[in-house]
């Protein structure tokens, strides 16, 4: 669990949740015959979900969420 105060720091909680979601998916990818495509899919899925969450709040979004496509 994060050692953050119960108020504020929501942006850090969203970042930590994204990293926590990525960990088991990457572990699964490491067990596959072709781990790189799996890891790329896991990364983009988690990052897309993170950015969706970021745009769902009225705070400044994380800089990478303003990029599109391969960027």
């Amino acid at each position: 669990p994060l050692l953050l105060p119960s108020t504020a720091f929501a942006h850090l909680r969203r970042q930590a949740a994204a990293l926590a979601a990525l960990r088991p998916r990457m572990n699964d990818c490491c067990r596959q015959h072709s781990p790189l495509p799996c890891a790329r899919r896991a990364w983009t899925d988690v990052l897309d979900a993170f950015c969706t969450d970021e745009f769902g709040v009225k705070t400044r979004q994380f800089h990478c969420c303003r990029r599109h496509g391969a960027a």
Side-chain angles (χ1 to χ4, degrees):
L2 292 175
L3 299 174
L4 295 171
S6 59
T7 57
F9 299 100
H11 65 290
L12 292 178
R13 284 192 185 83
R14 287 190 299 275
Q15 291 174 18
L19 290 174
L22 183 61
R23 182 182 307 240
R25 294 194 59 185
M26 293 300 264
N27 286 339
D28 289 342
C29 290
C30 290
R31 295 184 195 109
Q32 293 191 12
H33 179 67
S34 299
L36 189 56
C38 176
R40 180 173 286 214
R41 252 188 332 273
W43 172 251
T44 55
D45 290 349
V46 169
L47 189 58
D48 286 345
F50 169 75
C51 289
T52 299
D53 289 345
E54 281 285 282
F55 283 112
V57 295
K58 293 183 179 182
T59 59
R60 187 174 186 183
Q61 287 78 33
F62 198 70
H63 65 89
C64 68
C65 291
R66 288 183 241 122
R67 296 182 180 188
H68 298 283

